[in-house]
């Protein structure tokens, strides 16, 4: 057993003001500041110009936020880890269920997120940037978002499609120049009010990360948008489609892209089959049904404790897009309590104890089939 700490906080102001707030928070972590100070910019002058232009076009405001952050800490902005890791991980499961199949006739978006506990921030935050949609979501490298829901009732989550993409030796190399998923998700939450706008944005933005992006809105529309090496495919559902739920794990699901990535990790195939069977066998789905699936230990459910293998559950989430609420379980969903949050209706800052247990993944867990 290992004890961790998760927290919730709020960020409000202009992008530059929010960046300064984040910088002030980081002053309490001197080892983080020192690490960034010794980090030299890995970019050429031409790349720095391209990065600024790309973020201005597809993630407007983030450049100003990073500038506020680095001004407070006395850093050159290109020393920021966010630029280094976002200019181009983990395993997850996600599902969205439309009103015709839910007990409360609301749109429910649910997901588990798996990775390594020592590389996770364990932060949920509400962000209100002037001129953009307010949203609640999980922080990734401070400026990015791993998932979330905005004030318009648009929810976004993701799973990796195949091996993680980054410039690290152990990962798949980017096939195009583009953005990481956490930059894309934040831009959707801040600038799109519904699924149609999210799809249009996704069709325009260069994405270097291979991602299965799930978007859903409170009007009862949802879409799975898959991006693989710059190629994209989309599957949409609504009140008028026979299918009333979508799900994804960590492989390519849509036929247009399967020919480029025909093999999948065994654990991803098992989890995908599990979700489909579970949701097909329940005529009307409740939030408690989704929490039960997220909290049951693999391979009967979606909760994993393989943190040393970069596949340990770090949060479970169930968004109710009509109520504007999100139920969150920090850490292992089999060991910790669920907490309810709503944009604009929480304490300004709160902390939550988190328990995890570390197990070893089965030998065939990552086997390609």
């Amino acid at each position: 057993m290992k004890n961790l700490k998760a927290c919730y906080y709020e960020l409000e102001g202009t992008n530059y003001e929010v960046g300064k707030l984040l910088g002030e928070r980081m002053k309490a972590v001197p080892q983080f500041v020192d690490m960034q100070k010794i980090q030299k910019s890995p970019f050429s002058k031409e790349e720095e110009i391209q990065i600024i232009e790309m973020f201005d076009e597809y993630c407007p405001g983030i450049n100003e936020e990073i500038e506020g952050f680095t001004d407070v800490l006395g850093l050159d902005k290109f020393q920021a880890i966010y630029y280094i890791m976002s200019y181009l991980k983990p395993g997850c499961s996600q599902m969205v269920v439309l009103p015709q199949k839910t007990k409360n006739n609301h749109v429910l978006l649910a997901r588990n997120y798996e990775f390594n506990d020592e590389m996770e921030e364990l932060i949920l935050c509400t962000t209100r940037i002037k001129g953009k949609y307010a949203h609640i979501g999980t922080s990734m490298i401070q400026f990015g978002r791993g998932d979330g829901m905005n004030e318009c009732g648009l929810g976004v989550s993701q799973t990796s499609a195949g091996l993680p993409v980054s410039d690290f030796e152990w990962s798949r190399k980017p096939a195009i120049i583009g953005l990481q998923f956490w930059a894309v998700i934040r831009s959707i939450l801040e600038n799109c009010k519904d699924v149609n706008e999210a799809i249009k944005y996704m069709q325009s933005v260069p994405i270097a990360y291979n991602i299965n992006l799930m978007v859903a809105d409170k009007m009862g529309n949802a879409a799975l948008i898959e991006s693989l090496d710059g190629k994209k495919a989309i599957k949409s559902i609504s009140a008028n489609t026979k299918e009333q739920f979508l799900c994804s794990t960590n492989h390519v699901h849509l036929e247009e892209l399967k020919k480029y990535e025909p093999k999948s990790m065994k654990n991803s195939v098992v989890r995908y089959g599990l979700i489909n069977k579970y949701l097909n066998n329940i005529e009307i789905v409740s939030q408690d049904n989704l929490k039960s699936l997220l909290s049951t230990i693999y391979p009967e459910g979606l909760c994993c404790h393989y943190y040393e293998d970069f596949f340990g559950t770090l949060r479970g989430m169930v968004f109710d897009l009509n109520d504007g609420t999100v139920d969150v379980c920090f850490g292992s969903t089999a060991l910790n309590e669920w907490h309810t949050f709503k944009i604009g209706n929480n304490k300004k800052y709160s902390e939550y104890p988190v328990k995890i247990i570390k197990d070893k993944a089965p030998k065939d867990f990552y086997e390609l089939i």
Side-chain angles (χ1 to χ4, degrees):
M1 181 76 71
K2 183 176 180 180
N3 295 312
L4 306 172
K5 182 178 71 174
C7 70
Y8 167 85
Y9 57 67
E10 298 188 358
L11 298 166
E12 185 170 2
T14 64
N15 281 107
Y16 185 80
E17 290 166 346
V18 165
K20 290 181 69 176
L21 287 173
L22 288 169
E24 292 293 343
R25 285 189 179 277
M26 283 300 103
K27 282 185 177 180
V29 190
Q31 63 270 31
F32 175 87
V33 179
D34 291 341
M35 178 182 67
Q36 299 217 117
K37 283 185 176 179
I38 63 173
Q39 172 69 57
K40 294 182 179 179
S41 170
F43 308 116
S44 66
K45 291 298 181 183
E46 291 76 15
E47 287 174 328
E48 290 178 356
I49 293 170
Q50 187 176 33
I51 289 168
I52 294 298
E53 290 177 347
M54 182 178 292
F55 275 86
D56 276 343
E57 181 173 0
Y58 299 110
C59 308
I62 294 299
N63 286 323
E64 290 80 5
E65 200 162 309
I66 292 173
E67 188 171 355
F69 177 80
T70 52
D71 281 353
V72 165
L73 298 179
L75 302 171
D76 178 273
K77 63 184 175 183
F78 289 105
Q79 288 177 292
I81 292 175
Y82 189 77
Y83 277 140
I84 296 167
M85 295 189 68
S86 298
Y87 182 66
L88 307 168
K89 112 180 178 181
C92 322
S93 305
Q94 62 181 350
M95 64 213 80
V96 61
V97 189
L98 298 189
Q100 293 182 35
K101 194 176 170 64
T102 60
K103 185 176 181 179
N104 61 1
N105 300 120
H106 290 181
V107 182
L108 301 179
L109 174 64
R111 62 102 104 253
N112 263 10
Y113 175 84
E114 280 79 34
F115 199 43
N116 175 273
D117 59 291
E118 295 181 1
M119 299 181 69
E120 168 63 18
E121 294 176 33
L122 288 175
I123 292 172
L124 178 73
C125 59
T126 292
T127 308
R128 299 183 187 88
I129 302 296
K130 291 180 181 179
K132 300 181 185 296
Y133 297 127
H135 67 276
I136 187 168
T138 51
S139 169
M140 302 198 82
I141 318 180
Q142 299 160 317
F143 306 100
R145 299 293 178 265
D147 40 55
M149 170 182 61
N150 69 17
E151 62 181 295
C152 304
L154 176 68
V156 187
S157 67
Q158 59 80 29
T159 64
S160 298
L163 289 174
V165 174
S166 74
D167 289 320
F168 295 118
E169 291 182 6
W170 48 266
S171 61
R172 180 170 176 157
K173 301 305 177 189
I176 64 169
I177 293 175
L179 299 173
Q180 270 283 14
F181 70 86
W182 49 70
V184 171
I185 289 175
R186 178 167 177 183
S187 279
I188 291 174
L189 290 169
E190 290 190 330
N191 300 291
C192 301
K193 67 177 182 295
D194 56 30
V195 167
N196 285 336
E197 289 189 0
I199 290 174
K200 288 180 182 178
Y201 172 81
M202 283 292 290
Q203 288 172 328
S204 69
V205 66
I207 305 173
Y209 195 84
N210 293 338
I211 186 175
N212 300 324
L213 190 84
M214 193 83 77
V215 291
D217 60 41
K218 66 181 182 181
M219 285 77 74
N221 306 298
L224 174 62
I225 309 167
E226 296 194 339
S227 180
L228 180 75
D229 293 342
K231 298 176 282 289
K232 297 170 186 172
I234 301 170
K235 180 178 182 178
S236 299
I237 61 172
S238 68
N240 300 319
T241 59
K242 181 179 179 181
E243 291 180 74
Q244 287 295 291
F245 74 86
L246 289 171
C247 63
S248 80
T249 50
N250 297 118
H251 61 277
V252 173
H253 305 287
L254 302 183
E255 291 299 329
E256 300 98 305
L257 299 181
K258 278 187 178 179
K259 60 185 176 182
Y260 302 109
E261 189 86 351
K263 290 194 174 184
S264 308
M265 291 182 293
K266 182 178 179 179
N267 76 78
S268 184
V269 175
V270 170
R271 286 181 288 119
Y272 184 70
L274 184 69
I275 298 170
N276 274 286
K277 183 179 179 180
Y278 187 85
L279 294 180
N280 277 316
N281 286 344
I282 301 176
E283 185 176 353
I284 299 297
V285 178
S286 70
Q287 287 161 295
D288 285 341
N289 292 143
L290 296 174
K291 289 179 185 178
S292 177
L293 178 60
L294 297 176
S295 302
T296 303
I297 301 293
Y298 178 89
E300 284 74 33
L302 301 176
C303 181
C304 298
H305 291 154
Y306 316 133
Y307 297 95
E308 300 298 333
D309 298 300
F310 288 78
F311 215 102
T313 299
L314 290 163
R315 62 179 174 271
M317 311 179 81
V318 179
F319 294 92
D320 185 323
L321 301 183
N322 297 84
D323 274 352
T325 58
V326 54
D327 290 348
V328 181
C329 180
F330 298 106
S332 166
T333 43
L335 299 174
N336 296 282
E337 296 181 2
W338 289 82
H339 308 274
T340 301
F341 299 87
K342 188 170 186 175
I343 300 175
N345 192 26
N346 311 295
K347 296 178 181 178
K348 292 294 183 181
Y349 181 86
S350 46
E351 295 183 353
Y352 304 89
V354 175
K355 296 177 181 178
I356 63 171
I357 291 177
K358 295 190 176 184
D359 292 331
K360 280 290 182 183
K363 289 183 178 180
D364 62 349
F365 191 75
Y366 291 108
E367 177 185 338
L368 292 177
I369 59 175

